[in-house]
Amino acid sequence: MFAGFLEAVFNGISIGAVLLIAALGLAIVFGLMGVINMAHGELMMLGAYTTFVVQNFCKQLGGVWFEAYIFFALIIAFLLTAAVGWLLERGVIRYLYGRPLETLLATWGVSLILQQFVRSVNWVLVIGIALFSLLFFGGLWILKRRTDFGRIRSLVVAVILFLSVGVAMATGKFLSETYKLAITQPWFGAQNLDVTAPSWLQDGISLLGVQLPYPRLFIIALTILCVTGIYLFLQRSSWGLRIRAVTQNRSMSACLGIPTQKVDAMTFALGSGLAGVAGCAISLLGSVGPNTGQNYIIDTFMVVVVGGVGNLVGTIVAALGIGTANYLIGSATLASLLTPVKPLADLFAFFATTSMAKATVFVLIIVFLQVKPGGIFPQKGRTVDV
């Protein structure tokens, strides 16, 4: 029984480690900008799909390339999702600051778009998007040099948008009819896809009678590396100092010359990149699908709220606590430990499913927030009193 308890705690900590990587970015973004990013789970999904693509590419190369693909996947997933996050902040969120409801609805819409994108993406769609971006943004960049651009901006945007969409759609239709299924077949589809871990991650070690799989140990080590890197970045770098300053008092930071808009964009890109790394870690625990991010987004938000908005230590404690509690309840480990106390054992046995465990933890969090609404480590600073 003791070995089973230790194994359950270890598995819970590994799940908490994934939540921690994802919640790190969300905590920074929420703490700095007050943005509730409902597309954070889909950024994790993009990181997971990136891992799948990198794995397939390295598998064709074979040898040492496949054995080291997970490291390439981590780097590419971080850069790709950071770029998507930067575009999301520049194109959508920057116009919605101070309007939390509109931000929530907009990011929720983006999450649905990203889910459908991975289900339907093919060469025709990619070529169409690339052609539209080239024509629309390239045309705006050229016409911005006109001295009277400010006066005719609305007309120019409408005309270029109409022409860019028309050319992109016509090109896509031509390619579809010419090449038929050759370039219209979806890359991923709606089904889940499996990621194969390198051979050195397909085993485990035994400690005190507990089997510790290498993938979960790798995820824990990756989490420690990410937390250390974020801490050093926030505490030892000039941009980290700017982020902390804007988090404490945005108006005063702007008065002191800190470019708050650049800080917002960089912070959102950083948080999105961490979501991509979390998605890469998730791919080692199960299959990858369009709804992968939805399985973690609620728990990630709970971690941020319970730990205290923007607090690194609180996020760590909350992530490990929620991940471990979910696994102990959902795997019936807690019910087996309480066997001598039959009423409690029967109660927790009733909740010994994944969905019921999440509901139980959610209720416990609601009770906790009634006592400490600011989380384990509430935010401090003058802006809290405003």
Side-chain angles (χ1 to χ4, degrees):
M1 181 178 292
F2 180 70
F5 174 73
L6 288 181
E7 184 173 0
V9 170
F10 171 76
N11 289 333
I13 290 175
S14 64
I15 294 174
V18 175
L19 292 178
L20 178 55
I21 300 177
L24 278 177
L26 196 61
I28 295 172
V29 169
F30 191 28
L32 177 69
M33 297 179 280
V35 172
I36 303 175
N37 182 17
M38 295 299 294
H40 197 77
E42 277 56 51
L43 293 171
M44 297 170 63
M45 174 199 66
L46 290 180
Y49 272 105
T50 301
T51 306
F52 174 77
V53 172
V54 173
Q55 168 216 245
N56 287 346
F57 179 76
C58 291
K59 187 181 290 186
Q60 294 179 357
L61 298 178
V64 69
W65 290 99
F66 177 74
E67 295 300 323
Y69 87 82
I70 192 65
F71 300 107
F72 300 121
L74 285 169
I75 296 172
I76 297 173
F78 177 84
L79 294 176
L80 175 65
T81 52
V84 173
W86 184 84
L87 290 174
L88 179 59
E89 197 280 334
R90 291 288 85 183
V92 178
I93 294 176
R94 68 180 297 188
Y95 303 106
L96 300 175
Y97 288 132
R99 296 151 64 187
L101 180 59
E102 287 87 342
T103 304
L104 188 149
L105 292 174
T107 53
W108 180 60
V110 170
S111 73
L112 297 179
I113 292 172
L114 290 177
Q115 288 180 41
Q116 190 57 43
F117 175 79
V118 298
R119 291 189 183 100
S120 309
V121 62
N122 53 39
W123 283 112
V124 172
L125 183 60
V126 170
I127 293 172
I129 292 175
L131 185 59
F132 168 80
S133 301
L134 178 64
L135 294 176
F136 182 73
F137 295 106
L140 285 181
W141 180 75
I142 293 174
L143 292 175
K144 274 184 180 179
R145 299 183 177 185
R146 290 176 57 101
T147 56
D148 59 344
F149 178 76
R151 183 171 56 84
I152 61 173
R153 177 184 176 87
S154 299
L155 177 62
V156 167
V157 170
V159 171
I160 294 181
L161 179 63
F162 177 77
L163 293 176
S164 301
V165 170
V167 171
M169 292 181 64
T171 304
K173 186 177 170 111
F174 170 76
L175 292 175
S176 299
E177 293 178 351
T178 303
Y179 297 98
K180 303 299 181 184
L181 292 177
I183 60 175
T184 58
Q185 190 72 21
W187 292 354
F188 308 117
Q191 72 277 7
N192 285 1
L193 306 170
D194 292 324
V195 174
T196 304
S199 59
W200 53 275
L201 281 179
Q202 294 180 3
D203 202 352
I205 59 174
S206 182
L207 182 64
L208 299 176
V210 179
Q211 187 68 18
L212 306 180
Y214 284 148
R216 295 184 180 271
L217 289 173
F218 178 79
I219 290 172
I220 293 174
L222 176 64
T223 303
I224 295 173
L225 182 63
C226 288
V227 171
T228 304
I230 290 297
Y231 175 80
L232 293 176
F233 173 76
L234 292 177
Q235 299 295 327
R236 304 293 176 85
S237 69
S238 59
W239 276 104
L241 178 61
R242 294 186 180 101
I243 290 174
R244 288 187 288 121
V246 174
T247 302
Q248 287 292 317
N249 194 316
R250 175 179 293 272
S251 300
M252 184 59 70
S253 300
C255 292
L256 293 174
I258 295 177
T260 55
Q261 289 190 350
K262 289 184 179 180
V263 170
D264 289 339
M266 181 177 180
T267 304
F268 204 90
L270 176 63
S272 301
L274 289 172
V277 173
C280 186
I282 289 171
S283 67
L284 297 176
L285 298 178
S287 57
V288 177
N291 297 320
T292 295
Q294 294 299 310
N295 298 328
Y296 291 88
I297 186 63
I298 300 300
D299 288 340
T300 305
F301 272 112
M302 288 194 295
V303 167
V304 174
V305 174
V306 172
V309 176
N311 189 286
L312 184 60
V313 177
T315 303
I316 295 172
V317 174
L320 298 181
I322 290 175
T324 305
N326 268 325
Y327 194 87
L328 287 177
I329 298 173
S331 63
T333 304
L334 199 56
S336 63
L337 289 175
L338 295 172
T339 302
V341 187
K342 187 167 178 52
L344 285 177
D346 293 340
L347 176 64
F348 281 103
F350 174 76
F351 292 104
T353 62
T354 303
S355 57
M356 292 299 290
K358 286 182 180 291
T360 305
V361 172
F362 191 64
V363 170
L364 294 175
I365 289 174
I366 292 175
V367 174
F368 170 78
L369 292 176
Q370 301 304 309
V371 180
K372 296 197 68 174
I376 300 174
F377 299 100
Q379 190 178 25
K380 297 179 180 179
R382 295 184 179 182
T383 53
V384 178
D385 303 324
V386 176

